[in-house]
């Protein structure tokens, strides 16, 4: 009976996710919705039924503080003050006087149009829309919780706690006594202890805005109160240009053609190309950090060097490595297409391998020397758009097509793990696309044996490509982990990458049918463990070792294959 109950809860959660996505697609086609309307309510109810781990106590009456921090890191600063949120395509705002706002944890351009309106640019496909709407739904739920505690029932009057908080926010500067009085009143509104409220206040505070947390809670409550009392409805709109462009690979095509033309210009288009989806530092540092910083570090301190380079205060060292890399065969291609995916190209013919940790036969003929093509992380469905466009031949006119010599495609990155902890490794043998029966088995050139005796746990099995990491709950994940699907982790891009690779190699024949693929992920969180979700904080330096370990194995395989 317990098994049946657990499965039923997993099925309910899956249905809630499907309802959310069906509703969001409908709203996008419709062009607008009001969070307090019927459609907005449908999103709220689905999210409350789902109760994703990342949103913590969203279904409780008390305000969810860790989830709030997580969401606001992924939305533009000041969005809590805006009644009107407009999702647009790239429509030329970067040429205007509006200052671009980029959220700390999401690469998306946003613009504050006036005191009531925020525009958010969508250039990374549907996954970006799902991500934003899910976070906004969470924000509206929390906003309404604050409103319900700030308004006296059956009246249009606010409580004493709210009046005191409002008075504090309207002061330009607070002394210690005034701040603690305001936090005391706010703790009552949030249904949290003073201690909890003080801790989260400190987490939100910045040098320029020490009272940021007070302001955020005030504005979330204020807009909900105005909607309740005065009928000032909040609204989400989708621009006509966005609705027209979405799904046409406009940004991906511009991105791919820019890179292919750069490769052609540098006579690299027909050399063996190895694509690596990774960050913009691990390959560069693995090849060049030690020779570039030989005066600063001992050659045996490899991991210490990488950890030092990952620290925010090491900008000078990072610049030194980057300058050295540019002098030794690296070409940087900063994105201008709107995909927010920067690129690095490494011409191995210009690298002195005697100064690196890698061995490579320098007598290899020039046309056989590999070219490393590093692309920054894609976001969800954007992975299909970008790789699908890049694997097409370069077509300058109707007569001529230049086919690329793609030898391997390697995907590395962070993922949620279902067994183990932060920093542990996952080596997938298949990607399963959540909410469908689509599955993509493949031969992974990387295996568990490649990573043994490195002090990290390594898991091999299927991985699920989810529609959004913020929609997962324990019941769904436990079902996938315990069932014959043998799922070891979850991420957002794998199935999209593999779909593009398989269509290019098996059906369209634009690249070799024998293209090698490598997938490896390290754990950013374990959503099955309370306190280990993404909302509990970042990896810090825990991610440095697995990042460079995966990078090493990928590069070794590439260099040993020539």
């Amino acid at each position: 009976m317990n098994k049946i109950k657990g499965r039923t809860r997993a099925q309910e959660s899956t249905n809630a996710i499907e309802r959310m996505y069906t509703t969001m697609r409908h709203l996008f086609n419709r062009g607008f919705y009001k969070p307090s309307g019927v459609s907005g309510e449908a999103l709220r109810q689905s999210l409350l039924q789902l109760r994703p781990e990342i949103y913590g106590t969203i279904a409780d009456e008390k305000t969810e503080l860790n989830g709030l921090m997580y969401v606001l890191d992924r939305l533009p600063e000041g969005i809590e003050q805006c009644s009107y949120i407009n999702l647009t395509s790239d429509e030329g705002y970067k040429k205007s006087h509006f200052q671009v706002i980029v959220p700390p944890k999401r690469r998306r351009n946003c613009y504050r149009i006036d005191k009531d309106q925020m525009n958010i640019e969508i250039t990374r496909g549907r996954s970006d829309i799902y991500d934003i709407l899910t976070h906004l739904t969470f924000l509206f739920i929390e906003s309404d919780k604050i409103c319900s505690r700030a308004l006296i029932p059956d009246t249009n009057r606010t409580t004493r706690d709210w009046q005191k908080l409002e008075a504090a926010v309207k002061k330009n500067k607070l002394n210690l006594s005034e701040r603690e009085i305001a936090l005391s009143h706010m703790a009552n509104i949030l249904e949290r202890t003073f201690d909890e409220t003080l801790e989260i206040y400190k987490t939100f505070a910045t040098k320029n805005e020490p009272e940021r947390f007070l302001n955020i809670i005030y504005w979330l409550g204020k807009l909900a109160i105005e909607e309740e009392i005065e009928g000032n409805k909040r609204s989400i709109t989708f621009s006509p240009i966005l609705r027209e462009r979405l799904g046409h690979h406009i940004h991906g095509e511009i991105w791919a053609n820019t890179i292919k033309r750069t490769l052609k210009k540098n006579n690299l288009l027909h050399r063996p190309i190895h694509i690596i989806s990774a960050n913009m530092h691990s390959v560069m540092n693995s090849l060049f950090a030690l020779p570039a910083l030989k005066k600063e570090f001992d050659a045996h301190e490899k991991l210490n060097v990488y950890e030092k380079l990952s620290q925010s205060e090491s900008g000078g060292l990072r610049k030194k490595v980057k300058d050295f890399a540019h002098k030794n065969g690296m070409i940087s291609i900063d994105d201008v297409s709107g995909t927010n995916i920067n690129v690095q190209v490494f011409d191995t013919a210009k690298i002195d391998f005697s100064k690196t940790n890698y061995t490579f036969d320098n007598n290899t003929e020039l046309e056989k020397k590999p070219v490393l093509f590093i692309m920054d992380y894609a976001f969800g469905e954007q992975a299909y758009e970008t790789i699908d466009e890049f694997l097409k031949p370069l077509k300058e006119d109707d007569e001529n097509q230049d086919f690329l010599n793609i030898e391997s495609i390697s995907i590395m990155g962070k993922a949620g793990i279902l067994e183990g902890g932060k920093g542990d490794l996952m080596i997938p043998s298949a990607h399963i696309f959540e909410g469908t029966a689509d599955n993509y088995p493949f031969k992974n050139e990387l295996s568990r044996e490649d990573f043994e005796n490195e002090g990290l746990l390594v898991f091999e099995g299927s991985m699920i490509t989810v529609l959004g990491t913020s929609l997962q709950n324990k019941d769904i994940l436990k079902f996938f982990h315990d069932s014959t699907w043998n799922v070891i982790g979850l991420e957002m891009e794998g199935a999209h990458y593999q779909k593009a690779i398989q269509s290019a190699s098996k059906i369209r024949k634009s690249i070799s049918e024998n293209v090698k693929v490598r997938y490896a992920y390290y754990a950013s969180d374990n959503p099955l463990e309370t306190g280990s979700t993404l909302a509990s904080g970042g990896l810090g330096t825990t991610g440095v070792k697995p990042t460079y370990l995966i990078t090493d194995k990928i590069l070794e395989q590439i260099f040993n294959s020539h």
Side-chain angles (χ1 to χ4, degrees):
M1 283 301 293
N2 284 338
K3 190 171 181 182
I4 292 169
K5 283 179 186 173
R7 178 72 190 277
T8 304
R9 175 70 185 125
Q11 288 173 325
E12 283 176 1
S13 301
T14 301
N15 289 338
I17 290 177
E18 287 173 0
R19 280 199 309 276
M20 281 201 75
Y21 278 92
T22 304
T23 305
M24 286 192 276
R25 285 206 168 204
H26 162 70
L27 296 178
F28 175 73
N29 290 329
R30 182 178 159 198
F32 73 95
Y33 78 100
K34 291 182 167 53
S36 59
V38 175
S39 300
E41 187 60 29
L43 283 179
R44 290 179 195 226
Q45 291 309 315
S46 295
L47 198 61
L48 287 168
Q49 182 181 15
L50 189 60
R51 297 196 298 277
E53 300 310 309
I54 218 147
Y55 293 150
T57 57
I58 185 173
D60 294 354
E61 285 188 14
K62 62 183 180 182
T63 304
E64 167 51 38
L65 299 178
N66 283 333
L68 187 63
M69 184 86 184
Y70 176 85
V71 163
L72 289 173
D73 274 347
R74 285 152 180 81
L75 291 173
E77 184 183 346
I79 196 163
E80 71 281 354
Q81 301 174 12
C82 297
S83 305
Y84 304 96
I85 296 160
N86 185 27
L87 274 56
T88 73
S89 180
D90 179 357
E91 299 176 19
Y93 284 101
K94 61 170 71 75
K95 297 173 185 173
S96 68
H97 75 281
F98 298 115
Q99 186 177 352
V100 64
I101 306 167
V102 180
K105 299 287 178 70
R106 281 284 185 269
R107 289 171 300 182
R108 51 173 69 114
N109 294 339
C110 310
Y111 302 90
R112 184 77 176 265
I113 303 303
D114 54 39
K115 69 182 182 66
D116 297 317
Q117 181 177 331
M118 181 73 74
N119 280 15
I120 303 176
E121 259 182 24
I122 305 292
T123 56
R124 307 173 78 185
R126 287 190 183 90
S127 296
D128 222 9
I129 294 175
Y130 301 153
D131 187 62
I132 289 165
L133 293 189
T134 308
H135 292 332
L136 287 176
T137 303
F138 167 86
L139 215 56
F140 295 135
I141 290 170
E142 295 304 319
S143 172
D144 284 352
K145 287 183 193 175
I146 296 165
C147 173
S148 69
R149 296 287 297 170
L151 277 176
I152 298 169
D154 303 320
T155 73
N156 286 342
R157 290 182 291 117
T158 54
T159 63
R160 180 173 180 272
D161 285 321
W162 181 258
Q163 291 164 14
K164 293 291 183 183
L165 173 62
E166 187 171 41
V169 167
K170 288 182 176 177
K171 277 195 169 187
N172 287 331
K173 201 170 181 181
L174 299 177
N175 59 36
L176 178 63
S177 172
E178 291 168 332
R179 181 179 300 118
E180 291 191 344
I181 290 169
L183 288 172
S184 174
H185 290 294
M186 191 161 73
N188 290 336
I189 295 166
L190 303 179
E191 295 197 340
R192 293 282 186 170
T193 66
F194 178 79
D195 195 36
E196 285 175 308
T197 309
L198 182 60
E199 278 308 302
I200 203 76
Y201 165 85
K202 291 175 184 173
T203 310
F204 270 89
T206 63
K207 190 176 180 182
N208 294 331
E209 199 180 353
E211 314 303 342
R212 182 174 170 234
F213 185 51
L214 292 174
N215 287 315
I216 286 169
I217 297 301
Y218 169 71
W219 277 100
L220 284 175
K222 184 176 190 290
L223 293 188
I225 291 167
E226 286 179 356
E227 187 165 319
E228 183 71 25
I229 295 174
E230 299 168 23
N232 296 337
K233 303 284 186 186
R234 289 166 288 183
S235 173
I236 315 280
T237 54
F238 306 88
S239 80
I241 304 295
L242 174 64
R243 291 158 66 205
E244 178 189 311
R245 287 179 178 175
L246 198 73
H248 292 287
H249 288 201
I250 288 169
H251 301 288
E253 185 179 10
I254 297 167
W255 175 85
N257 286 337
T258 301
I259 296 154
K260 284 183 272 195
R261 288 186 185 117
T262 304
L263 291 172
K264 187 172 184 177
K265 180 183 168 187
N266 288 276
N267 298 315
L268 302 173
L269 196 63
H270 300 117
R271 294 252 298 275
I273 296 171
H274 297 266
I275 300 171
I276 304 175
S277 171
N279 50 59
M280 288 286 98
H281 57 260
S282 61
V283 173
M284 178 178 70
N285 290 345
S286 295
L287 290 170
F288 298 120
L290 292 179
L293 303 175
K294 59 186 176 185
K295 291 180 181 176
E296 287 87 352
F297 296 95
D298 186 272
H300 301 292
E301 297 180 326
K302 190 165 68 167
L303 194 59
N304 292 341
V305 175
Y306 299 150
E307 286 185 351
K308 184 67 178 173
L309 285 167
S310 72
Q311 293 168 6
S312 57
E313 66 270 17
S314 299
L317 293 177
R318 287 194 293 273
K319 184 179 185 304
K320 195 170 181 181
V321 175
K322 195 171 183 180
D323 290 345
F324 184 89
H326 280 137
K327 291 173 186 172
N328 289 271
M330 184 177 89
I331 302 166
S332 292
I333 307 174
D334 292 333
D335 178 63
V336 292
S337 69
T339 61
N340 281 310
I341 298 177
N342 293 328
V343 163
Q344 294 166 338
V345 175
F346 295 85
D347 181 357
T348 58
K350 296 180 179 178
I351 298 173
D352 182 354
F353 279 90
S354 65
K355 294 178 180 176
T356 72
N357 291 315
Y358 304 97
T359 53
F360 182 71
D361 184 3
N362 281 323
N363 295 320
T364 305
E365 298 166 40
L366 176 63
E367 60 268 20
K368 292 183 179 177
K369 288 187 175 180
V371 173
L372 307 180
F373 165 74
I374 320 300
M375 58 180 283
D376 209 343
Y377 297 122
F379 187 73
E381 288 183 24
Q382 188 191 33
Y384 176 77
E385 176 179 337
T386 48
I387 287 291
D388 181 61
E389 290 296 331
F390 186 73
L391 297 182
K392 291 177 183 176
L394 176 61
K395 193 175 179 181
E396 296 288 12
D397 53 53
D398 291 336
E399 299 289 322
N400 300 307
Q401 289 191 114
D402 270 329
F403 286 84
L404 280 71
N405 181 11
I406 307 290
E407 286 210 353
S408 76
I409 301 170
S410 303
I411 313 295
M412 61 172 282
K414 293 183 287 190
I417 199 166
L418 301 185
E419 192 178 331
K422 290 186 178 184
D424 289 334
L425 301 177
M426 290 156 278
I427 312 299
S429 54
H431 289 295
I432 303 157
F433 191 29
E434 180 185 49
T436 70
D438 298 353
N439 53 82
Y440 301 88
F442 50 85
K443 183 190 181 302
N444 195 341
E445 295 294 318
L446 296 170
S447 67
R448 179 188 287 177
E449 288 71 35
D450 292 323
F451 300 95
E452 285 181 341
N453 305 316
E454 297 287 355
L456 297 170
L457 294 177
V458 188
F459 299 89
E460 245 175 350
S462 306
M463 288 188 72
I464 184 166
T465 298
V466 298
L467 295 160
T469 51
S470 56
L471 288 182
Q472 305 312 303
N473 71 8
K474 285 184 180 177
D475 302 289
I476 298 176
L477 299 177
K478 204 165 186 324
F479 164 70
F480 275 113
H481 181 253
D482 295 346
S483 72
T484 51
W485 284 108
N486 184 31
V487 170
I488 56 171
L490 63 145
E491 46 74 55
M492 282 185 66
E493 292 80 30
H496 302 299
Y497 279 125
Q498 194 58 28
K499 180 168 66 170
I501 294 165
Q502 285 181 196
S503 64
S505 60
K506 310 286 186 198
I507 301 169
R508 303 167 87 168
K509 308 292 184 184
S510 55
I511 63 171
S512 167
E513 194 171 350
N514 300 317
V515 65
K516 292 178 177 176
V517 295
R518 303 179 188 90
Y519 289 91
Y521 300 91
Y522 63 92
S524 56
D525 64 304
N526 185 334
L528 287 179
E529 288 183 8
T530 303
S532 296
T533 67
L534 281 171
S536 66
L539 275 162
T541 56
T542 311
V544 173
K545 182 176 180 179
T547 296
Y548 285 92
L549 185 57
I550 294 169
T551 306
D552 263 354
K553 298 301 176 185
I554 290 172
L555 292 179
E556 282 170 11
Q557 285 197 5
I558 290 171
F559 296 143
N560 290 338
S561 67
H562 289 272

